[in-house]
Amino acid sequence: VNMYGITETTVHTTYKILSKMDLHRRENSNIGVPLNDMSIVIVDQNKVPVPIGVPGELLVGGNGLAIGYLNQPEMTREKFIAYPLDYANRTYKYSFQESKKARYYRTGDLVRYLSDGTLEYLGRIDKQIKFKGYRIETGEIESALRQLPKIAQCAVAIKKYRDTAKLVAYYTLKEDVEANTRPQKLQSFLSQMLPNYMIPNLFVKIESIPLTDNMKTDYAALPSIEGCAVDIHSEFQKPMTASQKILASIWEKNLNVENIGLDDNFFGIGGDSITSLKVTAMAREKGFSVNVSDIFKYQTIREITKHCWSGHKSLLSYEHSSAFSMLPKQDRVLLPVDSLDSYPIASLQMGMIYHTHYSPDSAVYLDIFTYKINATYSHDYFIRALQKLIDAHPIFRTTFHLD
């Protein structure tokens, strides 16, 4: 029996009866299902329950839950929280079930439900990182990578490479496996299981994954990328045509990578959605009929030049529309009389509005920046400067009408 438990739940919380078949599984530790007198719920960063297969933090409640930490009220308030019973596992029965909320302990452990209803332990929630604007659970990437038969151990971290932050996967191979595993094969495998932003930019083969004294992965001890043999390219094929050379030069300039080949994957060698905007603009200046969606669709120099090369000197031309031209006449009469323009809401904007209303306490679409200026503050000048900023940018004077 594989049992999961923590001191704060005194002690066991879940269990998994093991079979011989479990010895051959390539998943992380399967910790089974909760004990009859225990309750679990898996939540995201907004404390909303997650569906099957999506990682989240494990909350634990039930008869074994501790009162709190002795003489540490702040930590007790942080870790032991009230949570709606409607979200709890329905299998347990105990006295708290009569009330609307029960006490739960925030374990800080990252888990997810498997399709058979059991739990898979992925690691600690403090392994969550923010990369290129996305929150990433490195344990989820590591779990996917371990499903490759050739991989023995792995660890994922953010490291500097040529002055740029990269998402790096370190890995070791099994003893009977050849050492020529190409990064493109690893990326291709992971792309079937993970979104693009979670695919590591670099894959580094090392002799062993460093461990702490208690046999956990020591992420701080992972070697510097600059001191490792990093292979980010596919089997190298030199760009030959004029269009291929032009696009390769644009990629090299924006990705800070030399000798990019025809079949190197844009995202595999460090590209992302932000970089794709720069690459697209520069490519259009050089004669490519290319959009950001084409970068995501074709991803290699060979494929992009095949489908998106026009040969014209520049494609940076725009069709200007007149005010209100994108709005039906019957809708124009509903606008305020002082409106300067109006247009249909974009899908991305609608999605942001939906999530903002769905999770009003979330700051996912709110950036806060603080700057210290050594100057005498004048409220009048500040208001005038702010008004000039609003006057200069129409987006600051834009509102949404959703009726």
Side-chain angles (χ1 to χ4, degrees):
V1 178
N2 181 30
M3 302 199 74
Y4 163 86
I6 39 187
T7 303
E8 289 82 356
T9 61
T10 60
V11 161
H12 293 121
T13 302
T14 69
Y15 71 100
K16 163 71 174 173
I17 299 177
L18 300 176
S19 64
K20 290 184 178 180
M21 186 178 297
D22 290 313
L23 300 177
H24 304 287
R25 295 184 186 275
R26 297 219 38 95
E27 61 191 18
N28 284 313
S29 177
N30 187 316
I31 58 176
V33 296
L35 297 170
N36 289 337
D37 63 344
M38 301 301 291
S39 166
I40 62 167
V41 59
I42 307 173
V43 299
D44 61 17
Q45 60 184 0
N46 297 316
K47 301 299 182 290
V48 177
V50 297
I52 293 174
V54 176
E57 182 179 8
L58 177 64
L59 306 185
V60 176
N63 282 340
L65 199 64
I67 297 174
Y69 297 105
L70 182 63
N71 298 327
Q72 297 186 64
E74 291 185 3
M75 182 178 291
T76 297
R77 283 193 295 270
E78 177 187 353
K79 292 294 186 179
F80 292 85
I81 63 173
Y83 199 78
L85 277 170
D86 291 342
Y87 292 144
N89 187 304
R90 300 288 184 177
T91 61
Y92 86 107
K93 296 179 176 65
Y94 75 111
S95 58
F96 280 125
Q97 203 169 28
E98 301 301 321
S99 61
K100 293 183 179 180
K101 289 188 177 182
R103 290 177 70 248
Y104 279 81
Y105 172 68
R106 297 183 57 189
T107 66
D109 287 330
L110 184 69
V111 301
R112 64 180 169 190
Y113 276 116
L114 299 178
S115 58
D116 62 358
T118 59
L119 296 170
E120 182 183 28
Y121 179 85
L122 299 174
R124 293 290 298 167
I125 203 74
D126 52 19
K127 288 169 57 181
Q128 185 185 76
I129 59 176
K130 191 169 184 180
F131 183 69
K132 304 292 187 181
Y134 294 97
R135 293 190 180 276
I136 295 175
E137 307 288 356
T138 58
E140 188 175 3
I141 304 174
E142 293 167 1
S143 175
L145 198 53
R146 286 193 193 98
Q147 295 187 40
L148 268 172
K150 296 181 179 181
I151 302 297
Q153 297 176 307
C154 62
V156 176
I158 294 178
K159 294 286 185 178
K160 281 281 189 179
Y161 182 65
R162 296 177 180 174
D163 297 325
T164 304
K166 302 289 185 184
L167 188 61
V168 182
Y170 296 85
Y171 67 94
T172 64
L173 297 176
K174 292 186 175 180
E175 293 182 358
D176 57 345
V177 174
E178 296 181 3
N180 62 346
T181 303
R182 303 295 298 184
Q184 278 64 35
K185 292 182 179 180
L186 300 176
Q187 289 169 341
S188 176
F189 175 80
L190 292 179
S191 67
Q192 301 174 37
M193 308 167 65
L194 303 171
N196 274 331
Y197 65 84
M198 292 182 69
I199 307 298
N201 306 125
L202 304 175
F203 291 84
V204 180
K205 178 183 173 294
I206 55 181
E207 293 299 319
S208 62
I209 300 294
L211 301 176
T212 62
D213 292 338
N214 59 355
M215 304 304 293
K216 303 287 186 179
T217 300
D218 190 347
Y219 289 90
L222 289 168
S224 167
I225 299 299
E226 303 297 342
C228 298
V230 179
D231 183 4
I232 62 175
H233 299 287
S234 60
E235 297 293 340
F236 183 74
Q237 293 193 42
K238 184 179 180 180
M240 299 299 293
T241 67
S243 59
Q244 291 171 353
K245 292 178 180 178
I246 290 172
L247 191 57
S249 175
I250 294 173
W251 283 23
E252 290 174 358
K253 180 177 181 180
N254 285 277
L255 300 178
N256 195 23
V257 175
E258 299 176 354
N259 299 320
I260 295 179
L262 286 179
D263 299 309
D264 286 334
N265 185 286
F266 177 77
F267 299 98
I269 58 178
D272 52 46
S273 57
I274 301 299
T275 312
S276 68
L277 295 172
K278 301 176 184 178
V279 166
T280 299
M282 295 177 67
R284 290 177 68 85
E285 288 180 339
K286 297 296 184 180
F288 283 86
S289 179
V290 62
N291 297 309
V292 171
S293 59
D294 296 318
I295 304 292
F296 280 83
K297 182 177 181 180
Y298 300 118
Q299 299 191 7
T300 67
I301 290 175
R302 185 192 299 277
E303 291 300 309
I304 293 174
T305 53
K306 177 180 178 181
H307 293 91
C308 305
W309 172 248
S310 69
H312 299 108
K313 184 176 181 181
S314 175
L315 292 174
L316 284 178
S317 58
Y318 303 93
E319 181 179 346
H320 294 277
S321 58
S322 58
F324 307 104
S325 63
M326 300 177 68
L327 206 65
K329 290 183 178 180
Q330 60 269 27
D331 290 339
R332 297 182 195 178
V333 298
L334 304 176
L335 298 175
V337 293
D338 58 346
S339 298
L340 299 179
D341 196 3
S342 184
Y343 48 85
I345 189 171
S347 297
L348 180 61
Q349 293 172 316
M350 183 65 78
M352 294 173 68
I353 291 175
Y354 169 80
H355 286 290
T356 299
H357 284 277
Y358 182 79
S359 302
D361 295 331
S362 172
V364 65
Y365 292 119
L366 176 64
D367 285 332
I368 300 176
F369 301 94
T370 302
Y371 300 95
K372 186 175 182 180
I373 302 175
N374 293 321
T376 301
Y377 175 73
S378 168
H379 183 73
D380 181 56
Y381 284 157
F382 177 79
I383 295 299
R384 287 163 59 184
L386 186 62
Q387 187 59 54
K388 285 189 175 182
L389 186 66
I390 294 172
D391 293 341
H393 300 283
I395 194 64
F396 290 146
R397 307 189 304 275
T398 300
T399 59
F400 295 104
H401 296 266
L402 304 177
D403 294 337

